[in-house]
Amino acid sequence: MSDQIQFIVEKLNQEPFRKNYNLITFDSLESMQLLQLLNDVLGEIDPKHAVDIREELPEQTAKRMLGLLGILKYKPPGSISDLSAFRQGLVTGSKPVIHPVLHWLLQRTNELKKRAYLARFLVKLEVPAEFLQDDTVADINKQYEELMEAFKNLHKECEQLKTSGLSAAEIRRDISAMEEEKDQLIKRVERLKKRVETVQNHQRMLEIARQLRLEKEREESLAQQKQEQKNQLFHAEQRLQRAQLQLKEMHHAVVDSKPESLMKKLEEEINFNSYLVTEKIPRELESKKNSTYFLQKVVAEPAMSQSDLNVLEIKINEVNAQMNQLIEKRMMKYEPIDSKFSMYRQQASIISRKKEAKAEELQAAKEEMSSTERQMLQKTNQAHELEGSEVLKGDEFKHYVNKLRSKNTFYKKKRLEIAEITAEYGVLQRTEELLKQRHEAIQQQLQAIEDKKGISGYSYTQEELERVSAVKSEMDEMKGRTLDNMSEMVKKLNTMVAEKKASLAPVIKELRQLRQKCQELTQECDEKKIQYDSCAAGLESNRSTLEQEVKGLLEECVQEESNYRYINCMKRNLEIQLQRAKEEVKAYVSPDPQERRKAIREQYTRMILDQENLGKKLREKQKVVRESHGPNMKQIKMWQDFERLMECKRECFLKQQNQTAIGQVIQEGGKDRLVL
């Protein structure tokens, strides 16, 4: 956060803001000052937002800022709840909300300026579908979309021209620099020509040097062609070796294979594939479906707490214990035949498991083999790209070993020759030393003879003259080469200048045309922009008036529709009541007693009579209950007393029985003592 604030303060102290903040003053800003600062940054990006926030409502300020941030594609951190907190923080000027927005805006100001500029013309004005049914509105909307597409194309062309790098000033600078270099080279060539003109046969020497240069260039091109042909020959030999190796492998495969072995391999592969298709893959598919079903079930259930998980674990343990008990009971109830069958079943299950394991191992081995084959193909392709040789096999390897042995013997022979040459070199070196000593002795004798004859230094002077003549010939040769190089350089520079001029001429012409076209397009763009603004303003005013009219008409329509429905319901109720009244009158006036009974009045009178009779019966029953209440209560009390009396008698009887049993035991004990 401190780095973020440091970056914001540095950017705000620079152009075009120049706020002269430090960390303390920036951190001490109030919410309104922070909002005004954010608004100033947004105003720098889009001049329409350069307003004073004190002159507008907070809701309008937040709406305007959120709209521009949405156009600039700012993504506030967090989820939906955080988005609501972000809006609230933007309204109140919260520092944790404003600081990240400022950091994001100041990081990419130029890019956001461009995006805001484009948004003024590329944010599409949404027109309701019902308005587009009008032909005039539809034509204007279509024209508006066409102008938007034209603006996109013009903006792309303008950006391409800006980023193409073909600046006229740079081209002029390059041309002027090349012309200066050309003038300097011409002056140097003229100076060298003046120097060379003093040499005899300089034209012939120049011609010979030019022919020598051409022959050297031809020699280089021929050497390059020779190297290319050698490379092509090497690649062709490698391809031939690979083709021969593949042919040998195919011959070996054909020789070793027989129809019976091929049929056996095919049968094994068919059996394995049929096992996979009929048994293994359906079983795996069924298990995957079951696991998917259970997982979907688990996902559909509500979230479980730790207590729910503990309860489920306890239930699972109980069910496992019950399953173990049932298995033990079943095993205890098995008969010998069932035990044999169980043994066979166990063996069959073991074999099926082994079969599944082997099938899986085979499948894994096949996958591994295919992966190794792919790796081998990749390695061979890499070796071919690196111009490497193939891996040797069989007879080729033996041939390679024999070749290495022959090379080893050849190496030993050459090593012996090198030893002989080194020995001879030692002898020659000793001979050279002896000859140098003899040469020095002869030189001393020669110098003594020259001193006697009075011509001392003659041999030294002759050697110096020979050396000077050799140096002079070398210098003349170097001058010839220098002249050739300079003439060649001048030609190359002339050709380069001509080529550059020829290549830049159409570019300059095209640049002039593009400039003219750009001016025309900018003028047309300004005109279209004015038309667009006027059209947008007219459409906006028409849309607002039409929206108000539509809103009023919709409200009236809703009110009238509710009134219509209410009146329709009332009408239906009245019609039903009227129909019932007519039927009641018809039934009441009818002479038929059956029809009269169907009348509602008759039904209600019968119901009233029934209820009155039921009330009379209930009152009589109430009277009987009141009269018999007292004697019945007395009888209940007598029965309760009788029940208590019988309980006391039962207890007394039980006590008496216990006492008689104890007396008998005591009497029997006394008799035993008397006997003793």
Side-chain angles (χ1 to χ4, degrees), residues 124-142:
K124 191 174 181 181
L125 183 65
E126 296 294 334
V127 182
E130 55 268 19
F131 294 159
L132 290 174
Q133 294 178 0
D134 190 0
D135 295 336
T136 307
V137 177
D139 293 338
I140 294 171
N141 189 36
K142 187 177 179 181

Side-chain angles (χ1 to χ4, degrees), residues 2 32 90 146 354 417 440 550 614 622:
S2 61
M32 288 296 293
L90 191 62
E146 290 175 353
K354 286 183 179 179
E417 290 178 1
E440 289 176 358
V550 169
L614 181 62
Q622 184 182 10

Side-chain angles (χ1 to χ4, degrees), residues 365-589:
K366 283 189 174 182
E367 290 176 357
E368 187 177 358
M369 186 176 70
S370 62
S371 66
T372 50
E373 286 178 353
R374 286 195 297 271
Q375 290 178 2
M376 186 180 72
L377 288 173
Q378 289 177 0
K379 296 295 182 184
T380 52
N381 292 329
Q382 290 177 2
H384 294 163
E385 290 175 359
L386 296 173
E387 297 182 356
S389 58
E390 294 285 341
V391 179
L392 301 176
K393 297 178 183 177
D395 297 334
E396 291 183 356
F397 184 73
K398 292 178 181 178
H399 180 67
Y400 180 69
V401 170
N402 294 326
K403 191 175 180 181
L404 283 177
R405 287 174 181 170
S406 63
K407 284 185 178 181
N408 192 12
T409 55
F410 182 72
Y411 166 71
K412 289 179 180 178
K413 289 179 182 178
K414 293 296 179 182
R415 192 173 179 183
L416 291 171
E417 290 178 1
I418 290 169
E420 293 174 356
I421 290 167
T422 51
E424 188 175 356
Y425 171 72
V427 173
L428 292 172
Q429 193 173 7
R430 178 61 181 164
T431 306
E432 184 184 3
E433 290 176 357
L434 294 172
L435 290 172
K436 281 182 179 179
Q437 291 175 2
R438 288 179 65 183
H439 177 69
E440 289 176 358
I442 290 167
Q443 286 290 333
Q444 290 176 2
Q445 290 176 5
L446 181 63
Q447 190 174 2
I449 292 167
E450 287 177 354
D451 290 336
K452 287 180 181 180
K453 299 292 184 182
I455 52 172
S456 62
Y458 175 75
S459 60
Y460 176 74
T461 305
Q462 190 176 1
E463 288 178 358
E464 284 294 323
L465 287 171
E466 290 176 357
R467 186 176 63 80
V468 168
S469 63
V471 169
K472 183 178 178 298
S473 63
E474 289 179 358
M475 289 295 293
D476 293 337
E477 188 178 356
M478 286 177 65
K479 284 181 180 179
R481 286 200 299 269
T482 305
L483 287 171
D484 292 336
N485 293 329
M486 291 182 70
S487 62
E488 184 181 356
M489 189 182 295
V490 169
K491 285 183 180 180
K492 285 183 180 179
L493 288 172
N494 287 326
T495 54
M496 286 175 64
V497 170
E499 289 176 358
K500 288 288 184 181
K501 283 185 177 180
S503 61
L504 290 174
V507 175
I508 293 168
K509 288 181 181 178
E510 188 177 358
L511 182 62
R512 289 172 183 170
Q513 293 176 0
L514 289 173
R515 277 182 179 174
Q516 187 177 1
K517 188 177 179 182
C518 182
Q519 290 177 359
E520 293 174 357
L521 290 173
T522 51
Q523 186 177 0
E524 187 179 355
C525 180
D526 294 334
E527 294 175 358
K528 298 294 183 182
K529 186 179 174 183
I530 294 167
Q531 293 178 5
Y532 165 77
D533 292 335
S534 62
C535 181
L539 287 173
E540 185 67 25
S541 61
N542 292 331
R543 185 175 69 84
S544 60
T545 54
L546 289 171
E547 281 181 354
Q548 291 177 359
E549 291 178 2
V550 169
K551 189 175 180 181
L553 291 172
L554 286 173
E555 290 177 355
E556 290 179 4
C557 181
V558 170
Q559 187 66 30
E560 294 296 332
E561 189 175 357
S562 62
N563 292 333
Y564 167 73
R565 289 178 180 173
Y566 176 73
I567 292 168
N568 197 8
C569 291
M570 294 295 294
K571 179 183 175 184
R572 287 182 182 175
N573 291 332
L574 291 172
E575 287 176 354
I576 291 167
Q577 291 178 4
L578 182 62
Q579 185 69 25
R580 289 176 64 185
K582 287 180 180 180
E583 291 177 356
E584 181 67 22
V585 170
K586 184 177 179 181
Y588 185 73
V589 176

